[in-house]
Amino acid sequence: FRIFEMTVHIFNPETDFALALGRRIYSPPSQIVSFRKSMALFPACYASNRDAILIIDHIDDKQLRESPYFEIAVSKSISIIRLNQIAGFVSRFKSEAGNLKFRPWGWNHSILKTLLTAGVGQHLLKTEDQIDKIRELSHRRTTIPFQSILSQNLDDINVIPAKEFYATKDATDFFESNPGAFFKAPWSSSGRGVINTAGMSPNAITAWINGCIRRQGSVIGEIGRRRTCDFATEWYCKNGVATFLGLSLFKTSPEGRYKGNIIGSQAFLWQSISRHTNHWRQNVIDAQKIAIDSIISPSYDGPVGIDMFSTVEGDINPCVEINLRMTMGLATLLDNHK
């Protein structure tokens, strides 16, 4: 007697913006919905054979067949399920003695509400309290204690901590003391919600900070540094322990906006990073594990990505972002259709 196991993947790239709203329901703007539709079958790249993909938007069959990921889904015998079919699918799967897991790109209250409304049982999903914890940990202020732990465990790296500001005056004082500083919204993704103050007028900077504090309660400030290489470590947390999965290397805009991953073996990625800095060694990964197991693993199961960069001086920032969701870097690492 064999128990079947299946993961139901969902591509919901708006997850960080949905987290910003707390328990309110998030309605993405039309351009994000269009992107979500065009990439609905993207999880086929990293899904296992005979997994499933849940389509949460109305997409006709012709559009699905024209997706660049459709043939990958077919080759891996992936079930493509529409939202109005999911309750029946879950019921049939249960009758066949199967273990079913739901894995959206990222958890938030909107996707939880969508799945519950569609008839998926709560026992298969994250709870509201668990999502509240994900939201808390996904706040960019989490980088501050994380960076503190890294600083204690990386004697050879000068870890410059971020700062959180609740008042516009404090944030603008930081900018005046640190020309070229970056400011970040507490919740956003792929470099959105981030400004590079270099070249911006003081009025524009103040207006952006004002708006960010008004909408999300605070703003995160970081000293600006000239990046030469953007990379990340990819992890998976389960039962209180973080497991290192591998490296990812990616391109960004001057504002830090994600522009695509660099494909290559782990050895190639490691060597590519090492060409930019002498500080890239195993001890960075070891220190990150200590920080993840201290701050994140005790209350979160799922993927974690730690974004980093090297600088023109040859230094390294061992934590500039923490992503508690799937990332393009992890998707590239897990991509097993090639």
Side-chain angles (χ1 to χ4, degrees):
F1 181 72
R2 187 165 67 92
I3 295 177
F4 298 96
E5 294 189 352
M6 176 184 286
T7 298
V8 179
H9 302 271
I10 308 163
F11 186 67
N12 59 322
E14 74 283 359
T15 186
D16 290 311
F17 299 103
L19 281 178
L21 289 180
R23 293 195 173 187
R24 287 179 290 162
I25 302 304
Y26 177 68
S27 297
S30 58
Q31 64 267 31
I32 292 182
V33 174
S34 295
F35 177 65
R36 188 171 70 192
K37 287 181 175 182
S38 69
M39 297 282 285
L41 296 181
F42 174 66
C45 294
Y46 56 85
S48 297
N49 291 338
R50 301 187 182 281
D51 273 355
I53 297 175
L54 176 60
I55 309 297
I56 59 176
D57 294 297
H58 175 71
I59 308 174
D60 63 39
D61 291 343
K62 182 175 181 292
Q63 285 176 295
L64 284 178
R65 287 194 299 271
E66 291 172 349
S67 165
Y69 310 108
F70 181 76
E71 291 301 326
I72 301 170
V74 171
S75 70
K76 296 168 79 170
S77 300
I78 290 172
S79 301
I80 299 172
I81 310 161
R82 298 186 181 278
L83 198 58
N84 62 0
Q85 301 170 325
I86 191 61
F89 181 86
V90 170
S91 179
R92 288 193 303 276
F93 195 87
K94 183 179 179 182
S95 70
E96 295 172 1
N99 286 338
L100 199 61
K101 295 183 294 183
F102 279 78
R103 187 171 293 170
W105 189 258
W107 284 102
N108 59 72
H109 288 287
S110 279
I111 193 65
L112 175 63
K113 177 72 171 176
T114 295
L115 294 172
L116 289 172
T117 302
V120 179
Q122 175 64 73
H123 66 287
L124 294 171
L125 309 171
K126 298 282 192 188
T127 66
E128 288 195 335
D129 287 346
Q130 286 173 324
I131 293 175
D132 284 341
K133 188 63 180 179
I134 292 171
R135 181 178 188 268
E136 175 190 331
L137 290 171
S138 295
H139 193 294
R140 280 191 166 108
R141 71 163 65 99
T142 300
T143 59
I144 299 172
F146 200 97
Q147 290 162 340
S148 176
I149 292 174
L150 292 179
S151 181
Q152 295 165 25
N153 290 280
L154 293 171
D155 294 337
D156 60 329
I157 296 176
N158 180 25
V159 183
I160 303 174
K163 294 182 181 295
E164 183 173 16
F165 303 104
Y166 300 90
T168 301
K169 175 68 165 58
D170 293 337
T172 55
D173 285 349
F174 177 79
F175 157 69
E176 289 171 2
S177 301
N178 299 283
F182 281 68
F183 286 106
K184 301 180 176 182
W187 294 278
S188 68
S189 67
S190 302
R192 294 170 177 81
V194 177
I195 60 167
N196 177 356
T197 61
M200 292 180 64
S201 71
N203 286 345
I205 295 167
T206 300
W208 191 93
I209 291 170
N210 259 326
C212 185
I213 293 175
R214 184 180 68 253
R215 290 187 301 272
Q216 296 193 20
S218 67
V219 67
I220 308 297
E222 296 177 359
I223 291 174
R225 307 186 75 183
R226 290 179 292 167
R227 303 191 309 274
T228 55
C229 180
D230 291 279
F231 54 104
T233 50
E234 308 294 346
W235 304 78
Y236 197 88
C237 294
K238 189 171 184 180
N239 299 328
V241 177
T243 300
F244 175 65
L245 301 179
L247 298 172
S248 64
L249 188 61
F250 52 95
K251 302 173 185 176
T252 63
S253 70
E255 295 76 30
R257 185 168 293 190
Y258 173 82
K259 294 179 68 176
N261 267 79
I262 296 169
I263 309 299
S265 68
Q266 287 294 295
F268 169 79
L269 298 183
W270 189 285
Q271 291 164 5
S272 298
I273 298 165
S274 297
R275 283 198 292 270
H276 293 278
T277 173
N278 293 326
H279 292 289
W280 177 242
R281 294 192 291 276
Q282 179 65 37
N283 67 330
V284 177
I285 297 173
D286 296 340
Q288 287 181 342
K289 178 171 169 56
I290 293 170
I292 296 171
D293 283 343
S294 173
I295 296 172
I296 296 169
S297 299
S299 50
Y300 169 74
D301 282 0
V304 178
I306 309 297
D307 290 353
M308 298 169 278
F309 62 77
S310 59
T311 72
V312 293
E313 296 85 10
D315 296 329
I316 184 175
N317 183 333
C319 174
V320 66
E321 295 281 353
I322 302 172
N323 298 301
L324 273 68
R325 53 170 170 79
M326 278 293 296
T327 63
M328 286 297 184
L330 180 55
T332 302
L333 183 64
L334 298 178
D335 187 342
N336 57 8
H337 83 276
K338 298 189 287 294

